[in-house]
């Protein structure tokens, strides 16, 4: 993470008229996160944070954590293709791996840690698998806890069954989405999905969080040293 932060500080760039630093980025490319089908060995009738299991695809990684919400179904207890993956004809937006949610049989959320108060913009690439979706299926992207103001993007399966729901219309292609979160207050990025079939799959890749970099204590110390060095040079 220290390496990422330093890279982010150096990668300051201009977006439109406002400047922003890349605070955090993941493309889910860690090969150690790959594995087999994921099984939730917890109580699928109770909402809970998911844990990684040996030999199974990682649902949690460096800077991201998965949560499960029960809707009375079998959830991820029946073994599902969720978490970090390199599989699928859809390919990936960036690199060889991404993150998938399929056959959730409940609610799955992926939360991206931190940057509350310092983030101004987020971007993410998503791919909705091309299949029929029903009213119970949905996919959305959120900032913070407010379910109305905090919803950045939302697709559902109403009017679906292959007949043109918004999920179906958005399916079959990678989409790169950017959101201004500067007016939304404290919060963090999270992605939410519901589905109940193995063919109903949501893929995520290339997640970026931008803002005004707040130096970590280590980086602050380095900046302090640089300041001392430059002052010394001026003498
Ligand atoms: Ca990737
Ligand atoms: Ca399932
Ligand atoms: Ca469905």
């Amino acid at each position: 993470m220290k390496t990422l932060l330093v890279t982010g500080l150096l990668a300051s760039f201009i977006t439109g008229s406002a400047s922003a630093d890349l605070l955090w980025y993941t493309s889910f490319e860690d090969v150690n996160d790959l594995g087999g089908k994921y099984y939730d060995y917890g109580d699928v009738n109770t909402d809970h944070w998911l844990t990684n299991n040996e030999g199974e695809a990682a649902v949690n990684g460096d800077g991201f954590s998965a949560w499960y919400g029960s809707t009375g179904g079998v959830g991820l207890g029946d073994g599902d293709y969720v978490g970090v993956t390199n599989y699928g004809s859809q390919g990936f937006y960036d690199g060889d791996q991404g993150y998938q949610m399929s056959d959730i049989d409940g609610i799955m959320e992926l939360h991206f840690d931190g940057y509350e108060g310092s983030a101004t913009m987020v971007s993410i690439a998503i791919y909705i698998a091309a299949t029929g979706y029903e009213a119970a299926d949905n996919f959305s992207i959120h900032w913070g806890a407010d379910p109305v103001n905090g919803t950045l993007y939302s697709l559902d399966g109403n009017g679906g069954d292959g007949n043109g729901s918004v999920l179906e219309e958005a399916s079959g292609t990678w989409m790169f989405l950017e959101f201004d979160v500067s007016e939304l207050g404290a919060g963090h990025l999270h992605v939410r999905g519901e589905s109940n079939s193995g063919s109903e799959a949501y893929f995520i890749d290339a997640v970026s969080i931008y803002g005004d970099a707040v130096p970590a204590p280590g980086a602050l110390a380095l900046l302090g040293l640089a300041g001392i060095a430059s002052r010394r040079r001026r003498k």
Side-chain angles (χ1 to χ4, degrees), residues 107-131:
I107 301 162
M108 186 173 180
E109 293 182 358
L110 185 61
H111 291 254
F112 297 94
D113 302 344
Y115 304 107
E116 287 88 346
S118 54
T120 55
M121 199 182 86
V122 297
S123 67
I124 184 170
I126 66 167
Y127 183 100
I128 308 297
T131 188

mmCIF file of all heavy atoms in Angstrom, residues 107-131:
data_model
loop_
_atom_site.group_PDB
_atom_site.id
_atom_site.type_symbol
_atom_site.label_atom_id
_atom_site.label_comp_id
_atom_site.label_asym_id
_atom_site.label_seq_id
_atom_site.Cartn_x
_atom_site.Cartn_y
_atom_site.Cartn_z
ATOM 1 N N ILE A 107 -27.867 -10.878 -1.409
ATOM 2 C CA ILE A 107 -27.207 -9.610 -1.754
ATOM 3 C C ILE A 107 -25.712 -9.758 -1.519
ATOM 4 O O ILE A 107 -25.285 -10.308 -0.505
ATOM 5 C CB ILE A 107 -27.747 -8.463 -0.865
ATOM 6 C CG1 ILE A 107 -29.265 -8.317 -1.036
ATOM 7 C CG2 ILE A 107 -27.041 -7.150 -1.186
ATOM 8 C CD1 ILE A 107 -29.919 -7.538 0.095
ATOM 9 N N MET A 108 -24.914 -9.283 -2.454
ATOM 10 C CA MET A 108 -23.465 -9.241 -2.242
ATOM 11 C C MET A 108 -23.004 -7.816 -2.478
ATOM 12 O O MET A 108 -23.412 -7.173 -3.450
ATOM 13 C CB MET A 108 -22.754 -10.197 -3.201
ATOM 14 C CG MET A 108 -21.254 -10.327 -2.940
ATOM 15 S SD MET A 108 -20.531 -11.630 -3.974
ATOM 16 C CE MET A 108 -18.817 -11.518 -3.422
ATOM 17 N N GLU A 109 -22.186 -7.325 -1.578
ATOM 18 C CA GLU A 109 -21.622 -5.987 -1.727
ATOM 19 C C GLU A 109 -20.104 -6.075 -1.662
ATOM 20 O O GLU A 109 -19.553 -6.828 -0.860
ATOM 21 C CB GLU A 109 -22.116 -5.052 -0.607
ATOM 22 C CG GLU A 109 -23.605 -4.747 -0.678
ATOM 23 C CD GLU A 109 -24.056 -3.791 0.416
ATOM 24 O OE1 GLU A 109 -23.214 -3.381 1.263
ATOM 25 O OE2 GLU A 109 -25.253 -3.464 0.431
ATOM 26 N N LEU A 110 -19.453 -5.274 -2.492
ATOM 27 C CA LEU A 110 -17.997 -5.173 -2.436
ATOM 28 C C LEU A 110 -17.656 -3.749 -2.018
ATOM 29 O O LEU A 110 -18.034 -2.785 -2.700
ATOM 30 C CB LEU A 110 -17.380 -5.503 -3.794
ATOM 31 C CG LEU A 110 -15.844 -5.552 -3.807
ATOM 32 C CD1 LEU A 110 -15.328 -6.630 -2.854
ATOM 33 C CD2 LEU A 110 -15.317 -5.783 -5.212
ATOM 34 N N HIS A 111 -16.981 -3.623 -0.891
ATOM 35 C CA HIS A 111 -16.647 -2.314 -0.322
ATOM 36 C C HIS A 111 -15.169 -2.006 -0.511
ATOM 37 O O HIS A 111 -14.324 -2.859 -0.279
ATOM 38 C CB HIS A 111 -16.978 -2.305 1.182
ATOM 39 C CG HIS A 111 -18.448 -2.344 1.466
ATOM 40 N ND1 HIS A 111 -19.136 -1.247 1.908
ATOM 41 C CD2 HIS A 111 -19.361 -3.340 1.330
ATOM 42 C CE1 HIS A 111 -20.416 -1.567 2.055
ATOM 43 N NE2 HIS A 111 -20.578 -2.835 1.715
ATOM 44 N N PHE A 112 -14.909 -0.758 -0.937
ATOM 45 C CA PHE A 112 -13.536 -0.308 -1.137
ATOM 46 C C PHE A 112 -13.162 0.604 0.019
ATOM 47 O O PHE A 112 -13.842 1.591 0.286
ATOM 48 C CB PHE A 112 -13.408 0.377 -2.498
ATOM 49 C CG PHE A 112 -13.707 -0.575 -3.619
ATOM 50 C CD1 PHE A 112 -14.988 -0.661 -4.150
ATOM 51 C CD2 PHE A 112 -12.733 -1.441 -4.083
ATOM 52 C CE1 PHE A 112 -15.274 -1.574 -5.170
ATOM 53 C CE2 PHE A 112 -13.015 -2.359 -5.095
ATOM 54 C CZ PHE A 112 -14.287 -2.424 -5.633
ATOM 55 N N ASP A 113 -12.102 0.232 0.718
ATOM 56 C CA ASP A 113 -11.776 0.840 2.006
ATOM 57 C C ASP A 113 -11.392 2.312 1.914
ATOM 58 O O ASP A 113 -10.676 2.710 1.012
ATOM 59 C CB ASP A 113 -10.590 0.107 2.649
ATOM 60 C CG ASP A 113 -10.880 -1.371 2.833
ATOM 61 O OD1 ASP A 113 -12.058 -1.745 2.760
ATOM 62 O OD2 ASP A 113 -9.920 -2.132 3.043
ATOM 63 N N GLY A 114 -11.818 3.051 2.880
ATOM 64 C CA GLY A 114 -11.237 4.335 3.223
ATOM 65 C C GLY A 114 -11.476 5.478 2.264
ATOM 66 O O GLY A 114 -12.373 5.460 1.438
ATOM 67 N N TYR A 115 -10.696 6.498 2.402
ATOM 68 C CA TYR A 115 -10.743 7.747 1.621
ATOM 69 C C TYR A 115 -11.997 8.556 1.899
ATOM 70 O O TYR A 115 -12.353 9.436 1.134
ATOM 71 C CB TYR A 115 -10.563 7.462 0.128
ATOM 72 C CG TYR A 115 -9.282 6.718 -0.114
ATOM 73 C CD1 TYR A 115 -9.285 5.375 -0.455
ATOM 74 C CD2 TYR A 115 -8.061 7.352 0.091
ATOM 75 C CE1 TYR A 115 -8.102 4.683 -0.609
ATOM 76 C CE2 TYR A 115 -6.879 6.666 -0.062
ATOM 77 C CZ TYR A 115 -6.909 5.337 -0.414
ATOM 78 O OH TYR A 115 -5.733 4.654 -0.548
ATOM 79 N N GLU A 116 -12.669 8.265 3.027
ATOM 80 C CA GLU A 116 -13.795 9.084 3.430
ATOM 81 C C GLU A 116 -13.319 10.529 3.589
ATOM 82 O O GLU A 116 -12.328 10.779 4.257
ATOM 83 C CB GLU A 116 -14.379 8.599 4.771
ATOM 84 C CG GLU A 116 -15.165 7.306 4.676
ATOM 85 C CD GLU A 116 -14.297 6.079 4.846
ATOM 86 O OE1 GLU A 116 -13.060 6.215 4.782
ATOM 87 O OE2 GLU A 116 -14.862 4.991 5.031
ATOM 88 N N GLY A 117 -14.003 11.440 2.945
ATOM 89 C CA GLY A 117 -13.678 12.848 3.109
ATOM 90 C C GLY A 117 -12.606 13.364 2.172
ATOM 91 O O GLY A 117 -12.513 14.564 1.951
ATOM 92 N N SER A 118 -11.794 12.468 1.598
ATOM 93 C CA SER A 118 -10.720 12.952 0.730
ATOM 94 C C SER A 118 -10.975 12.646 -0.745
ATOM 95 O O SER A 118 -10.302 13.193 -1.609
ATOM 96 C CB SER A 118 -9.376 12.361 1.162
ATOM 97 O OG SER A 118 -9.442 10.958 1.217
ATOM 98 N N ALA A 119 -11.938 11.765 -1.049
ATOM 99 C CA ALA A 119 -12.192 11.397 -2.441
ATOM 100 C C ALA A 119 -13.100 12.415 -3.119
ATOM 101 O O ALA A 119 -14.032 12.942 -2.516
ATOM 102 C CB ALA A 119 -12.824 10.020 -2.515
ATOM 103 N N THR A 120 -12.822 12.710 -4.367
ATOM 104 C CA THR A 120 -13.653 13.633 -5.139
ATOM 105 C C THR A 120 -14.257 12.969 -6.369
ATOM 106 O O THR A 120 -15.260 13.422 -6.900
ATOM 107 C CB THR A 120 -12.834 14.848 -5.601
ATOM 108 O OG1 THR A 120 -11.694 14.386 -6.331
ATOM 109 C CG2 THR A 120 -12.388 15.674 -4.408
ATOM 110 N N MET A 121 -13.633 11.878 -6.820
ATOM 111 C CA MET A 121 -14.113 11.206 -8.020
ATOM 112 C C MET A 121 -13.739 9.731 -7.958
ATOM 113 O O MET A 121 -12.704 9.374 -7.402
ATOM 114 C CB MET A 121 -13.475 11.839 -9.257
ATOM 115 C CG MET A 121 -14.211 11.557 -10.543
ATOM 116 S SD MET A 121 -13.341 12.296 -11.941
ATOM 117 C CE MET A 121 -12.186 11.005 -12.326
ATOM 118 N N VAL A 122 -14.610 8.892 -8.512
ATOM 119 C CA VAL A 122 -14.298 7.468 -8.594
ATOM 120 C C VAL A 122 -14.587 7.002 -10.018
ATOM 121 O O VAL A 122 -15.425 7.580 -10.713
ATOM 122 C CB VAL A 122 -15.114 6.619 -7.583
ATOM 123 C CG1 VAL A 122 -14.780 7.007 -6.151
ATOM 124 C CG2 VAL A 122 -16.620 6.753 -7.833
ATOM 125 N N SER A 123 -13.885 5.981 -10.438
ATOM 126 C CA SER A 123 -14.202 5.373 -11.733
ATOM 127 C C SER A 123 -14.100 3.869 -11.604
ATOM 128 O O SER A 123 -13.357 3.344 -10.764
ATOM 129 C CB SER A 123 -13.291 5.904 -12.840
ATOM 130 O OG SER A 123 -11.965 5.489 -12.652
ATOM 131 N N ILE A 124 -14.868 3.170 -12.427
ATOM 132 C CA ILE A 124 -14.951 1.720 -12.336
ATOM 133 C C ILE A 124 -15.410 1.176 -13.694
ATOM 134 O O ILE A 124 -16.185 1.835 -14.394
ATOM 135 C CB ILE A 124 -15.934 1.317 -11.208
ATOM 136 C CG1 ILE A 124 -15.991 -0.201 -11.010
ATOM 137 C CG2 ILE A 124 -17.334 1.875 -11.442
ATOM 138 C CD1 ILE A 124 -16.760 -0.612 -9.748
ATOM 139 N N ALA A 125 -14.919 0.019 -14.063
ATOM 140 C CA ALA A 125 -15.382 -0.650 -15.285
ATOM 141 C C ALA A 125 -16.276 -1.821 -14.868
ATOM 142 O O ALA A 125 -15.945 -2.554 -13.927
ATOM 143 C CB ALA A 125 -14.202 -1.156 -16.098
ATOM 144 N N ILE A 126 -17.418 -1.961 -15.543
ATOM 145 C CA ILE A 126 -18.337 -3.056 -15.221
ATOM 146 C C ILE A 126 -18.754 -3.792 -16.494
ATOM 147 O O ILE A 126 -18.749 -3.223 -17.592
ATOM 148 C CB ILE A 126 -19.602 -2.560 -14.475
ATOM 149 C CG1 ILE A 126 -20.453 -1.659 -15.376
ATOM 150 C CG2 ILE A 126 -19.224 -1.841 -13.188
ATOM 151 C CD1 ILE A 126 -21.850 -1.386 -14.823
ATOM 152 N N TYR A 127 -19.105 -5.054 -16.307
ATOM 153 C CA TYR A 127 -19.612 -5.867 -17.419
ATOM 154 C C TYR A 127 -20.771 -6.705 -16.884
ATOM 155 O O TYR A 127 -20.626 -7.438 -15.903
ATOM 156 C CB TYR A 127 -18.504 -6.788 -17.940
ATOM 157 C CG TYR A 127 -18.906 -7.621 -19.143
ATOM 158 C CD1 TYR A 127 -18.529 -7.244 -20.430
ATOM 159 C CD2 TYR A 127 -19.648 -8.796 -18.993
ATOM 160 C CE1 TYR A 127 -18.883 -8.006 -21.537
ATOM 161 C CE2 TYR A 127 -20.017 -9.559 -20.091
ATOM 162 C CZ TYR A 127 -19.625 -9.160 -21.363
ATOM 163 O OH TYR A 127 -19.979 -9.913 -22.461
ATOM 164 N N ILE A 128 -21.930 -6.570 -17.508
ATOM 165 C CA ILE A 128 -23.114 -7.343 -17.133
ATOM 166 C C ILE A 128 -23.227 -8.493 -18.143
ATOM 167 O O ILE A 128 -23.333 -8.244 -19.344
ATOM 168 C CB ILE A 128 -24.401 -6.476 -17.205
ATOM 169 C CG1 ILE A 128 -24.235 -5.157 -16.417
ATOM 170 C CG2 ILE A 128 -25.611 -7.280 -16.738
ATOM 171 C CD1 ILE A 128 -24.017 -5.323 -14.933
ATOM 172 N N ALA A 129 -23.173 -9.728 -17.645
ATOM 173 C CA ALA A 129 -23.253 -10.877 -18.558
ATOM 174 C C ALA A 129 -24.567 -10.855 -19.330
ATOM 175 O O ALA A 129 -25.623 -10.528 -18.783
ATOM 176 C CB ALA A 129 -23.128 -12.178 -17.771
ATOM 177 N N ALA A 130 -24.478 -11.186 -20.619
ATOM 178 C CA ALA A 130 -25.666 -11.156 -21.486
ATOM 179 C C ALA A 130 -26.531 -12.383 -21.232
ATOM 180 O O ALA A 130 -26.176 -13.508 -21.576
ATOM 181 C CB ALA A 130 -25.229 -11.093 -22.950
ATOM 182 N N THR A 131 -27.667 -12.164 -20.591
ATOM 183 C CA THR A 131 -28.639 -13.229 -20.317
ATOM 184 C C THR A 131 -29.954 -12.553 -19.936
ATOM 185 O O THR A 131 -30.030 -11.324 -19.910
ATOM 186 C CB THR A 131 -28.127 -14.162 -19.194
ATOM 187 O OG1 THR A 131 -29.005 -15.278 -19.079
ATOM 188 C CG2 THR A 131 -28.047 -13.438 -17.862
#
